[in-house]
Amino acid sequence: MSAAPAPPSDTPSAFTYDRWRHGGWYVLEVRYPNGAIGCVSRNYPDRKWRIVCDRRPGDITYRSRDAAARAEYQLARAQHADTSTANSPAPVDNSS
């Protein structure tokens, strides 16, 4: 059994990319709690950068690949925080 990926720390100053077969870019520094890797693309009619698997409401676009990667990094970081909070034991009331 493999360990869960470590939560991301401070935002990197630069990101590393690998081509994605559908015209986007994997963002190697972005890892979600489920182990998925980040991916950004501008393979859209308007050629604006987006986070490929962004499930937030609205059409969120970015000016550059790095801006999209940085936003996705923060999105994954928030999911790691939500996961660790959900897995924390409930506080015990010992006041009685």
Side-chain angles (χ1 to χ4, degrees), residues 15 27-32 36-39 69-70 72-74 76:
F15 291 93
V27 185
L28 302 183
E29 289 79 10
V30 176
R31 291 293 175 139
Y32 288 92
I37 192 166
C39 189
R70 191 168 313 287
E72 187 171 24
Y73 185 87
Q74 294 302 324

Side-chain angles (χ1 to χ4, degrees), residues 5 10 12 20 43-44 48 60 67 69-70 87-88 90-91:
D10 296 334
W20 181 43
N43 194 18
Y44 301 88
K48 292 182 181 178
I60 303 167
R70 191 168 313 287
N87 292 332
S88 298

Side-chain angles (χ1 to χ4, degrees), residues 45-58:
D46 63 8
R47 303 296 291 162
K48 292 182 181 178
W49 287 97
R50 291 172 173 82
I51 298 170
V52 172
C53 293
D54 193 347
R55 292 188 172 33
R56 296 175 294 173

